[in-house]
mmCIF file of all heavy atoms in Angstrom:
data_model
loop_
_atom_site.group_PDB
_atom_site.id
_atom_site.type_symbol
_atom_site.label_atom_id
_atom_site.label_comp_id
_atom_site.label_asym_id
_atom_site.label_seq_id
_atom_site.Cartn_x
_atom_site.Cartn_y
_atom_site.Cartn_z
ATOM 1 N N GLU A 121 94.731 119.189 108.186
ATOM 2 C CA GLU A 121 94.628 120.126 109.309
ATOM 3 C C GLU A 121 95.214 119.544 110.591
ATOM 4 O O GLU A 121 95.591 120.274 111.507
ATOM 5 C CB GLU A 121 93.165 120.522 109.549
ATOM 6 C CG GLU A 121 92.569 121.380 108.442
ATOM 7 C CD GLU A 121 93.137 122.796 108.399
ATOM 8 O OE1 GLU A 121 94.178 123.052 109.034
ATOM 9 O OE2 GLU A 121 92.553 123.651 107.713
ATOM 10 N N ARG A 124 99.034 120.584 109.947
ATOM 11 C CA ARG A 124 99.447 121.801 109.246
ATOM 12 C C ARG A 124 100.018 122.863 110.197
ATOM 13 O O ARG A 124 101.031 123.495 109.893
ATOM 14 C CB ARG A 124 98.260 122.383 108.477
ATOM 15 C CG ARG A 124 98.646 123.524 107.577
ATOM 16 C CD ARG A 124 97.997 124.828 107.973
ATOM 17 N NE ARG A 124 98.666 125.968 107.366
ATOM 18 C CZ ARG A 124 98.064 126.919 106.709
ATOM 19 N NH1 ARG A 124 96.764 126.880 106.552
ATOM 20 N NH2 ARG A 124 98.738 127.931 106.238
ATOM 21 N N GLU A 130 102.999 128.085 104.283
ATOM 22 C CA GLU A 130 102.357 129.404 104.295
ATOM 23 C C GLU A 130 101.109 129.437 103.429
ATOM 24 O O GLU A 130 100.147 130.125 103.745
ATOM 25 C CB GLU A 130 103.323 130.463 103.735
ATOM 26 C CG GLU A 130 104.616 130.617 104.504
ATOM 27 C CD GLU A 130 105.722 131.155 103.595
ATOM 28 O OE1 GLU A 130 105.498 132.151 102.875
ATOM 29 O OE2 GLU A 130 106.824 130.562 103.600
ATOM 30 N N HIS A 131 101.133 128.713 102.302
ATOM 31 C CA HIS A 131 100.018 128.768 101.354
ATOM 32 C C HIS A 131 99.417 127.381 101.195
ATOM 33 O O HIS A 131 100.143 126.422 100.939
ATOM 34 C CB HIS A 131 100.497 129.224 99.973
ATOM 35 C CG HIS A 131 101.330 130.466 100.011
ATOM 36 N ND1 HIS A 131 100.785 131.720 100.122
ATOM 37 C CD2 HIS A 131 102.677 130.645 99.974
ATOM 38 C CE1 HIS A 131 101.761 132.621 100.135
ATOM 39 N NE2 HIS A 131 102.909 131.986 100.053
ATOM 40 N N VAL A 132 98.089 127.307 101.338
ATOM 41 C CA VAL A 132 97.408 126.025 101.115
ATOM 42 C C VAL A 132 96.487 126.189 99.914
ATOM 43 O O VAL A 132 95.658 127.105 99.867
ATOM 44 C CB VAL A 132 96.602 125.591 102.357
ATOM 45 C CG1 VAL A 132 95.949 124.240 102.115
ATOM 46 C CG2 VAL A 132 97.504 125.540 103.585
ATOM 47 N N ILE A 133 96.660 125.323 98.929
ATOM 48 C CA ILE A 133 95.888 125.397 97.688
ATOM 49 C C ILE A 133 95.007 124.150 97.634
ATOM 50 O O ILE A 133 95.514 123.021 97.690
ATOM 51 C CB ILE A 133 96.858 125.449 96.477
ATOM 52 C CG1 ILE A 133 97.814 126.650 96.628
ATOM 53 C CG2 ILE A 133 96.079 125.508 95.172
ATOM 54 C CD1 ILE A 133 99.000 126.606 95.688
ATOM 55 N N VAL A 134 93.703 124.380 97.544
ATOM 56 C CA VAL A 134 92.764 123.264 97.675
ATOM 57 C C VAL A 134 92.260 122.797 96.304
ATOM 58 O O VAL A 134 91.741 123.585 95.519
ATOM 59 C CB VAL A 134 91.569 123.669 98.569
ATOM 60 C CG1 VAL A 134 90.589 122.518 98.736
ATOM 61 C CG2 VAL A 134 92.068 124.122 99.936
ATOM 62 N N ALA A 139 87.706 126.314 98.916
ATOM 63 C CA ALA A 139 88.796 126.572 99.859
ATOM 64 C C ALA A 139 88.235 127.253 101.099
ATOM 65 O O ALA A 139 87.598 128.301 100.987
ATOM 66 C CB ALA A 139 89.835 127.454 99.190
ATOM 67 N N PRO A 140 88.477 126.692 102.277
ATOM 68 C CA PRO A 140 88.064 127.381 103.506
ATOM 69 C C PRO A 140 88.825 128.710 103.647
ATOM 70 O O PRO A 140 89.838 128.908 102.961
ATOM 71 C CB PRO A 140 88.490 126.408 104.619
ATOM 72 C CG PRO A 140 88.770 125.103 103.959
ATOM 73 C CD PRO A 140 89.128 125.402 102.539
ATOM 74 N N ALA A 141 88.346 129.562 104.521
ATOM 75 C CA ALA A 141 88.978 130.879 104.701
ATOM 76 C C ALA A 141 90.475 130.713 104.950
ATOM 77 O O ALA A 141 90.898 129.801 105.662
ATOM 78 C CB ALA A 141 88.324 131.596 105.888
ATOM 79 N N GLY A 142 91.240 131.584 104.324
ATOM 80 C CA GLY A 142 92.697 131.538 104.532
ATOM 81 C C GLY A 142 93.416 130.599 103.573
ATOM 82 O O GLY A 142 94.636 130.509 103.602
ATOM 83 N N MET A 143 92.641 129.882 102.752
ATOM 84 C CA MET A 143 93.274 128.986 101.780
ATOM 85 C C MET A 143 92.899 129.437 100.372
ATOM 86 O O MET A 143 91.993 130.237 100.188
ATOM 87 C CB MET A 143 92.817 127.546 101.999
ATOM 88 C CG MET A 143 93.202 127.001 103.365
ATOM 89 S SD MET A 143 92.772 125.273 103.518
ATOM 90 C CE MET A 143 93.181 124.992 105.242
ATOM 91 N N LEU A 144 93.608 128.912 99.382
ATOM 92 C CA LEU A 144 93.348 129.287 97.993
ATOM 93 C C LEU A 144 92.693 128.129 97.256
ATOM 94 O O LEU A 144 93.067 126.976 97.480
ATOM 95 C CB LEU A 144 94.671 129.623 97.295
ATOM 96 C CG LEU A 144 95.532 130.713 97.932
ATOM 97 C CD1 LEU A 144 96.985 130.605 97.485
ATOM 98 C CD2 LEU A 144 94.951 132.076 97.552
ATOM 99 N N ALA A 145 91.732 128.453 96.381
ATOM 100 C CA ALA A 145 91.121 127.396 95.569
ATOM 101 C C ALA A 145 91.973 127.204 94.316
ATOM 102 O O ALA A 145 92.281 128.163 93.601
ATOM 103 C CB ALA A 145 89.697 127.771 95.196
#
Side-chain angles (χ1 to χ4, degrees):
E121 291 290 15
R124 188 243 163 130
E130 300 154 49
H131 310 280
V132 182
I133 303 166
V134 181
M143 298 185 186
L144 304 159

